[in-house]
Amino acid sequence: MRHPERRLLISVDMERYSRRTNLQQYEAQKDFRDLLHEAARDVGLDRIAWTTQQAGDGELAILPRDVAESRVIGRFVPELNRRLRAYNSSRLPAARIRLRVAVHQGLVHLDGANGFPGNAVVFVCRLCEAEPVKRALAAFPDAGVALVVSAEIYRDVVTEYPEEMRPERFRRVEVVHPDKGFQEDAWLCVVDEDMSAPSAAQTSTPPPAPRSVGAAAEHRRKPSDSPTTRTPPDTGGIRTGDVRVDGQNAIGPGATAIGSVGRDVTFGGGREGRAR
């Protein structure tokens, strides 16, 4: 067994891959690979040198030791997003490629018998599978990439190069996989989108706990549902406060009427004035 090496790790997963037809999956795999290669090439990265573990809807990549983290996050990911937006602009929603990208660093064994052993590998895959990341990408239908980075990457890379990373566009999220005993903080952004907009306000917040049946019914009840405040639909006449006069009738809480429209009108026993 060789000693583990500290490397930069990228996990990439395609949105809604399993919902595609066989032909759509075949085309998506090919185009996914081409888009990654083209984006890397255009920012001076050699994808051939990356050690990858392929899956139909994504990949795990272990980058060479000499690759700068700032180039990956600050240039490769935005270029990939730009290409995906252009690619998707001429395709129906079912054929579009939208990606969740997770970045972390840590020790990994490169000589595993069936993959790459190491907690850092598990960690980056958990980030990529996180519900807040899925919700964030879904909240922006035109986006190409939702990027999530570990707290270490955010601290050591994103905040150190603000002119490239735009740290103000990231939001802290909690990544939880209860069935796997995983709970960690991470930092999330949807590339070229405003995560502070109202439409994204709930991307990292779990849905509210369900109310009891009685509370839900009380929440749905409007003030007009109460027998003491319900009034018939307004069909015309003269209205003063909660009282409406229609002909010789006054309709409303504690109201009486004398006369008719165009005559003296009394509400609640006192004279309110003269209707003309």
Side-chain angles (χ1 to χ4, degrees):
M1 180 180 67
R2 291 166 48 187
H3 288 293
E5 298 184 20
R6 186 169 297 277
R7 296 290 188 91
L8 188 68
L9 310 171
I10 303 176
S11 179
V12 184
D13 201 10
M14 198 182 310
E15 182 187 57
R16 297 186 175 186
Y17 177 82
S18 62
R19 301 185 187 183
R20 302 168 192 260
T21 65
N22 289 357
L23 180 58
Q24 287 172 339
Q25 290 182 13
Y26 185 92
E27 293 176 342
Q29 285 190 18
K30 178 182 179 302
D31 292 342
F32 165 79
R33 182 193 61 191
D34 292 345
L35 287 162
L36 287 173
H37 278 285
E38 291 164 2
R41 180 199 62 209
D42 286 356
V43 299
L45 296 175
D46 181 11
R47 279 262 303 168
I48 302 300
W50 295 14
T51 303
T52 60
Q53 180 175 299
Q54 301 295 326
D57 57 350
E59 72 170 29
L60 169 69
I62 302 171
L63 275 60
R65 285 189 294 267
D66 59 351
V67 172
E69 294 97 330
S70 59
R71 173 165 291 190
V72 172
I73 300 172
R75 298 186 61 189
F76 168 69
V77 172
E79 176 61 21
L80 179 60
N81 176 71
R82 186 189 69 79
R83 287 184 170 275
L84 286 167
R85 285 177 182 261
Y87 174 90
N88 292 335
S89 65
S90 60
R91 286 169 172 79
L92 295 173
R96 292 171 186 167
I97 297 177
R98 285 157 37 91
L99 302 176
R100 301 188 306 276
V101 177
V103 181
H104 181 48
Q105 61 82 30
L107 294 175
V108 55
H109 288 274
L110 300 178
D111 59 342
N114 192 36
F116 306 111
N119 286 327
V121 172
V122 175
F123 194 104
V124 75
C125 292
R126 296 284 185 264
L127 294 186
C128 196
E129 298 165 358
E131 284 301 319
V133 187
K134 295 178 181 179
R135 291 198 299 267
L137 187 57
F140 296 96
D142 295 329
V145 174
L147 170 66
V148 59
V149 302
S150 63
E152 293 86 348
I153 292 292
Y154 180 79
R155 180 194 64 215
D156 297 341
V157 182
V158 175
T159 61
E160 291 296 325
Y161 301 92
E163 67 281 0
E164 292 185 63
M165 307 294 126
R166 302 293 297 272
E168 73 278 3
R169 292 195 173 186
F170 286 76
R171 296 178 64 220
R172 186 173 62 82
V173 296
E174 187 177 42
V175 176
V176 181
H177 296 279
D179 56 327
K180 297 169 182 173
F182 185 93
Q183 182 173 351
E184 297 286 346
D185 286 342
W187 290 84
L188 167 68
C189 80
V190 179
V191 182
D192 289 337
E193 298 288 354
D194 183 5
M195 290 289 288
S196 66
S199 61
Q202 299 301 320
T203 57
S204 61
T205 304
R211 296 186 181 90
S212 65
V213 173
E218 184 64 26
H219 177 74
R220 289 193 299 268
R221 184 179 298 142
K222 299 179 181 178
S224 60
D225 292 337
S226 171
T228 60
T229 61
R230 185 181 295 136
T231 59
D234 193 348
T235 58
I238 298 174
R239 178 180 292 278
T240 301
D242 291 332
V243 179
R244 176 171 56 82
V245 177
D246 193 355
Q248 295 184 348
N249 300 315
I251 304 171
T256 61
I258 303 174
S260 59
V261 176
R263 303 292 298 276
D264 292 350
V265 181
T266 303
F267 302 97
R271 177 158 301 190
E272 290 285 330
R274 187 179 300 274
R276 299 293 184 187

